[in-house]
């Protein structure tokens, strides 16, 4: 279902949007909550969620860690990002788009950009101060 591959090398979100054959999946309106022991459709943290049993990493952002934060500020901001992502995903339908030439990360999560009404939900989290644009490496939050 989500095993989509972007033809070609590195691609930006603009590249994906300009391609008439842009690879994406339209997602209806599932209801998300914070993940518990059963992980089917839920939010793990500000940049990771499960959809129909598939783990997805939002490819265009990085948010603070909540499972192993390095300071109280990181944990608090990470929790705000997590709850905000739940809210954003629950607003209504969205698209999952592939970007770049990697389908999965090293942890087996599908790498996708989440789009609603032509805007990345990751960009929205960045504009709200809850995330950073992904640059290819993690930066400290503390």
């Amino acid at each position: 279902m989500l095993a989509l591959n972007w033809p070609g090398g590195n691609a930006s979100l603009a590249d994906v949007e300009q391609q008439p054959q842009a690879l994406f999946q339209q997602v209806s309106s599932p209801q998300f909550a914070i993940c518990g022991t059963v992980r089917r459709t839920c939010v793990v943290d500000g940049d990771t969620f499960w959809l129909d049993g598939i783990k997805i990493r939002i490819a265009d952002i990085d948010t603070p860690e909540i499972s192993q934060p390095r300071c109280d500020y990181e944990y608090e901001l990470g929790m705000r990002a997590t709850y905000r992502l739940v809210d954003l995903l629950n607003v209504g339908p969205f698209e999952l788009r592939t970007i770049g030439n990697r389908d999965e990360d090293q942890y087996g999560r599908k790498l996708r950009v989440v789009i609603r009404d032509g805007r990345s939900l990751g960009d929205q989290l960045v504009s709200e101060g809850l995330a950073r644009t992904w640059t290819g490496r993690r930066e400290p939050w503390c």
Side-chain angles (χ1 to χ4, degrees):
M1 174 169 113
L2 289 175
L4 303 172
N5 293 307
W6 179 252
N10 293 327
S12 68
L13 180 56
D15 294 332
V16 173
E17 291 172 340
Q18 291 174 6
Q19 296 296 322
Q21 76 281 11
L23 300 175
F24 66 92
Q25 176 191 6
Q26 183 72 34
V27 178
S28 59
S29 299
Q31 284 299 300
F32 289 85
I34 302 296
C35 290
T37 55
V38 176
R39 295 184 171 199
R40 178 106 183 113
T41 298
C42 59
V43 172
V44 175
D45 60 24
D47 56 24
T48 306
F49 64 95
W50 287 82
L51 176 63
D52 295 330
I54 297 171
K55 196 171 189 180
I56 298 169
R57 167 70 162 78
I58 301 177
D60 58 343
I61 60 168
D62 181 40
T63 60
E65 296 300 320
I66 59 173
S67 62
Q68 295 180 336
R70 294 192 174 136
C71 63
D72 290 343
Y73 172 75
E74 180 174 18
Y75 177 77
E76 292 166 11
L77 189 61
M79 288 305 298
R80 287 179 46 212
T82 301
Y83 283 105
R84 182 65 175 133
L85 181 58
V86 169
D87 291 343
L88 290 171
L89 292 174
N90 283 331
V91 166
F94 55 86
E95 296 174 9
L96 295 175
R97 295 186 185 179
T98 58
I99 188 169
N101 58 0
R102 289 180 56 205
D103 184 56
E104 294 183 353
D105 68 6
Q106 64 189 13
Y107 305 107
R109 300 175 296 187
K110 298 294 183 183
L111 296 171
R112 300 293 182 264
V113 175
V114 184
I115 304 290
R116 178 179 293 117
D117 298 326
R119 182 175 186 200
S120 160
L121 296 188
D123 285 348
Q124 186 165 348
L125 288 169
V126 169
S127 72
E128 294 174 11
L130 300 172
R132 293 185 185 131
T133 301
W134 179 248
T135 62
R137 64 185 176 100
R138 293 193 176 275
E139 298 289 334
W141 291 92
C142 300

